[in-house]
Amino acid sequence: MPELMMEQKSMRDMLGDVILELAKTDPKVYVLDGDLANSTKINTVAENLPHKFLQMGIAEQNMIGVAAGLATIGLQPWVSTFAAFLTKRCLDQVSVVVAQPKLDVKLLGAYAGVLNGCAGKTHQAVEDIAIMRSLPNMVVLAPADTYEVGQMIEFANEYKGPVYIRLTRDPVAPVFTDGYRFRLGEAAKVKEGKDITIISTGSQTGRSLQAARDLEAEGISAAVLHMPSIKPLDVEAIVRAARETGAIVTAEDHSVLGGLGGAVAEVLVEHCPVPMLRVGVQDKNIQSGSNSALLDKYELSAAHVADRVKQCLLKKRIGG
Amino acid sequence: MEMTQEQLKTLKALAASTRKLIVETVHYANAGHMGGPMSVTDLLVALYFEVMNIRPDQPDWEERDRFVLSKGHSAIALYTVMALRGYLPVEELKTFDKIDSRLQAHPDMGALPGLDMSTGSLGQGISAAVGMALGAKLTGKSFTTFCVLGDGEAQEGQVWEAADVAVRYALDNLVVFLDYNKLQQYGWEAPNQSREVPIQSPETKWSAFGWNVVTIDGHRFEEIVEACDRAKSHKGRPTIIIANTVKGKGVSFMENAYLWHSKVPTRQELEQAITEITAGGDR
């Protein structure tokens, strides 16, 4: 089955352009890099506005502390490195000097998820949502496409406090058009459907949308609810989806433990229990490989999402 | 800046008051640290009463000098000095380490105005101080950032990440004190002494990283204040002041005794401590 047919773009290309514009127009914005600017594409700032670019070297823990110090004097640091290092290596730093004191630090976690260009387990982050959403005061966002990346960065610039934006490396097809506005804590219905709802986040929304369209041909009507804001979470939209369609599949390029699937399960158990299944990394070590091989191995492709939907519908029909 | 005998006497009296309040507070709270707060007392008194450009009645004043207690477990010393300086009522020290208190076991900048950074997880404060000094450079502000680092804390790798970046950005508006009391909580047993020094040859290490290094007696106010003056006039590099101190300073049975790192004094020990601090108050 073909994956996405539309023109695919990488979030990082968008990121470089948007951050450069922001750094040009907002005097409080500075970019901190952990020696990955040419991978994350934030080198646009280094090349065009060198005085707004602060190289912190391969020393991420210090980078978080420096960002906190900058924020205390009214600046808005944008910390950019791979999600794996930002969330796992620097968890204590992010917790103590950014999240707890609610400082205005923006955290850009690039190369999140499994699809990160054959770098393998040390560079993949499938725990970052779980980690970051457990921190008090932390806002956790995962855009579906490049358009939403721009919207989220605009939001984060206005918002006073820590924001983690999870960015994936794989090229993604457009999900949103120019009229869409990202709003904190609001889910976006990207496809209507009456039999079941797929709740997805990040670049997995594109694959979920593809799955839902493919399912139409088989007579299954699946709604797709994109969850760009994992914290705060749109509890109301989740409960409404459960009530309206009676079954939920979550989908994320992340571990099924503690991420979107975990968050949605918590809501359903407390408010509206319905049959539910989770698409995501099933508590496994991750290997390196091509994107298509990884999608297949960790069962994240549109075809895998469609299969999960069918399994969940079976649970719904037999009342389990 | 030459200090008068009168100033010196005042600072010594303040240090004695601070040490007495520390011992009392830890005794009544039945929690907290002893050794480190007593070793860092004179540094904090010098900074808050002589060196730093601050306005206690306006704790968020933008031009103020910044201070980061990287060794956050010495919080009680900082709270006490801040109380004596007018940031909070001395009475409030009784709430130390209690639920809903502004005086949390480790400094929480969200709780108490005047705390420039939350600390407690070791090795992190110095990075934030680097950020403040860097921010001052970026925005053309003239304030100085001061930081007190523990010698045990210097075992954290992040400290050396910060040391490297501070030199790359030529942060001559950053002054770090190393509270070199030569003991950590437990550490390593040494053959000829009770415990190994937490960090050996700090002068060599900080020099190798490119810092301006000054070594002083961390209990002599004249030396502390003069070292700060020298640090502020040194251009192009950050300064570290290696302050030789005594853990548990001022109380005979606490001095150089690693077990007093976080031990709570009994009623009898409290009384003896107060007597000794009072007797040695103007030393």
Side-chain angles (χ1 to χ4, degrees):
Chain A
M1 192 187 308
E3 282 295 330
L4 301 157
M5 302 298 285
M6 290 168 283
E7 187 207 354
Q8 303 201 345
K9 268 180 81 178
S10 162
M11 291 183 185
R12 54 186 178 156
D13 293 320
M14 180 70 173
L15 177 76
D17 297 343
V18 180
I19 296 283
L20 176 61
E21 277 315 300
L22 200 60
K24 269 185 196 164
T25 52
D26 187 337
K28 70 178 186 295
V29 168
Y30 283 83
V31 166
L32 277 69
D33 173 42
D35 192 41
L36 289 168
N38 47 349
S39 290
T40 60
K41 303 293 184 195
I42 213 150
N43 58 348
T44 50
V45 178
E47 283 155 21
N48 295 286
L49 279 183
H51 67 286
K52 286 300 199 94
F53 180 83
L54 303 168
Q55 180 57 261
M56 289 291 123
I58 306 167
E60 296 85 2
Q61 299 173 356
N62 178 60
M63 173 159 65
I64 301 294
V66 170
L70 291 169
T72 63
I73 65 164
L75 299 177
Q76 187 180 73
W78 288 69
V79 177
S80 172
T81 184
F82 288 174
F85 313 140
L86 194 52
T87 62
K88 292 191 274 185
R89 193 181 195 107
C90 300
L91 171 58
D92 191 39
Q93 284 74 13
V94 170
S95 168
V96 173
V97 299
V98 177
Q100 287 172 15
K102 209 180 175 193
L103 289 174
D104 196 22
V105 175
K106 310 307 170 188
L107 304 166
L108 296 167
Y111 287 44
V114 301
L115 308 178
N116 70 1
C118 300
K121 64 186 187 309
T122 52
H123 288 54
Q124 286 151 327
V126 296
E127 310 89 343
D128 58 322
I129 294 176
I131 291 168
M132 299 304 261
R133 85 178 182 92
S134 69
L135 298 177
N137 297 324
M138 185 61 72
V139 166
V140 181
L141 308 179
D145 68 4
T146 58
Y147 185 73
E148 201 175 27
V149 171
Q151 294 267 309
M152 279 182 182
I153 286 173
E154 208 175 296
F155 156 79
N157 177 236
E158 297 293 322
Y159 177 82
K160 193 106 175 132
V163 177
Y164 173 64
I165 305 180
R166 173 183 219 248
L167 301 157
T168 48
R169 185 183 187 275
D170 54 318
V172 288
V175 170
F176 295 107
T177 53
D178 283 354
Y180 170 72
R181 292 295 300 171
F182 164 79
R183 285 188 187 84
L184 184 66
E186 270 188 31
K189 180 77 82 71
V190 294
K191 185 186 169 299
E192 296 291 340
K194 56 181 180 12
D195 298 331
I196 189 167
T197 304
I198 305 169
I199 303 179
S200 62
T201 196
S203 60
Q204 195 65 22
T205 292
R207 288 182 285 274
S208 299
L209 202 48
Q210 181 70 54
R213 285 173 186 146
D214 295 341
L215 286 165
E216 290 286 335
E218 300 182 43
I220 295 169
S221 170
V224 178
L225 187 65
H226 172 57
M227 199 62 71
S229 166
I230 295 144
K231 189 182 177 183
L233 191 65
D234 192 341
V235 172
E236 214 174 285
I238 295 168
V239 174
R240 201 182 314 125
R243 290 206 174 115
E244 285 174 3
T245 63
I248 302 286
V249 165
T250 58
E252 61 197 310
D253 177 5
H254 182 276
S255 171
V256 294
L257 304 177
L260 175 72
V264 169
E266 289 162 15
V267 171
L268 293 182
V269 162
E270 287 184 354
H271 300 281
C272 184
V274 293
M276 176 191 170
L277 286 174
R278 295 166 296 166
V279 172
V281 176
Q282 304 288 327
D283 195 22
K284 285 179 181 168
N285 280 330
I286 306 171
Q287 301 176 22
S288 53
S290 68
N291 280 0
S292 59
L294 288 162
L295 283 175
D296 195 44
K297 175 86 180 166
Y298 299 102
E299 303 180 353
L300 297 172
S301 71
H304 287 104
V305 177
D307 282 348
R308 279 286 192 201
V309 166
K310 289 179 200 165
Q311 287 169 26
C312 196
L313 281 172
L314 202 59
K315 276 167 66 106
K316 181 185 171 185
R317 279 177 202 130
I318 62 172
Chain B
M1 181 179 57
E2 204 56 22
M3 265 193 300
T4 64
Q5 283 308 309
E6 199 57 36
Q7 279 174 298
L8 207 52
K9 207 176 153 188
T10 305
L11 293 176
K12 283 178 179 174
L14 282 163
S17 301
T18 301
R19 288 194 168 94
K20 279 188 248 183
L21 283 165
I22 290 171
V23 185
E24 281 176 2
T25 305
V26 172
H27 171 78
Y28 288 112
N30 197 27
H33 291 75
M34 281 301 332
M38 303 289 265
S39 73
V40 81
T41 292
D42 297 313
L43 299 177
L44 295 179
V45 167
L47 284 170
Y48 275 85
F49 285 90
E50 197 63 42
V51 176
M52 289 202 297
N53 186 25
I54 46 176
R55 294 177 181 173
D57 58 343
Q58 214 183 323
D60 294 333
W61 177 44
E62 274 191 28
E63 304 303 318
R64 72 189 184 279
D65 283 344
R66 282 0 185 229
F67 177 73
V68 180
L69 183 68
S70 197
K71 46 172 283 181
H73 55 285
S74 286
I76 186 57
L78 179 59
Y79 298 149
T80 304
V81 170
M82 286 175 74
L84 293 173
R85 186 70 174 86
Y87 282 88
L88 60 142
V90 173
E91 258 317 271
E92 197 174 335
L93 292 172
K94 289 180 180 161
T95 70
F96 171 64
D97 205 12
K98 301 255 193 310
I99 203 83
D100 292 335
S101 169
R102 300 196 294 174
L103 312 182
Q104 290 289 295
H106 292 89
D108 179 352
M109 67 185 290
L112 182 67
L115 287 179
D116 290 324
M117 184 49 59
S118 295
T119 53
S121 179
L122 295 176
Q124 295 198 30
I126 185 171
S127 296
V130 167
M132 291 170 191
L134 178 58
K137 291 268 182 196
L138 295 172
T139 54
K141 290 191 183 294
S142 58
F143 67 79
T144 302
T145 299
F146 295 90
C147 172
V148 171
L149 187 72
D151 54 1
E153 183 183 16
Q155 288 160 3
E156 293 278 7
Q158 184 179 346
V159 169
W160 304 100
E161 295 180 2
D164 182 63
V165 165
V167 171
R168 288 182 191 274
Y169 286 93
L171 301 180
D172 50 16
N173 54 351
L174 172 65
V175 182
V176 176
F177 281 92
L178 182 73
D179 181 21
Y180 199 25
N181 62 33
K182 302 169 196 70
L183 283 176
Q184 56 196 105
Q185 169 156 341
Y186 190 68
W188 294 265
E189 262 189 75
N192 300 317
Q193 56 190 93
S194 63
R195 282 302 190 246
E196 272 184 18
V197 172
I199 172 179
Q200 289 174 344
S201 314
E203 285 90 350
T204 314
K205 286 176 176 136
W206 290 91
S207 294
F209 273 78
W211 285 56
N212 174 42
V213 181
V214 179
T215 301
I216 60 163
D217 177 338
H219 297 306
R220 287 181 57 84
F221 288 110
E222 308 91 308
E223 291 190 36
I224 301 168
V225 173
E226 198 218 334
C228 289
D229 288 343
R230 281 169 62 190
K232 286 171 77 170
S233 60
H234 189 92
K235 294 296 161 212
R237 293 191 297 167
T239 292
I240 181 140
I241 301 171
I242 314 279
N244 284 292
T245 57
V246 174
K247 199 156 180 173
K249 173 74 177 174
V251 178
S252 60
F253 57 91
M254 292 181 187
E255 287 191 356
N256 295 313
Y258 77 92
L259 286 175
W260 274 97
H261 176 83
S262 56
K263 199 172 151 187
V264 174
T266 61
R267 180 81 220 172
Q268 199 187 352
E269 285 166 339
L270 170 67
E271 282 165 13
Q272 193 186 335
I274 300 283
T275 307
E276 289 188 23
I277 294 165
T278 307
D282 57 351
R283 270 196 305 208

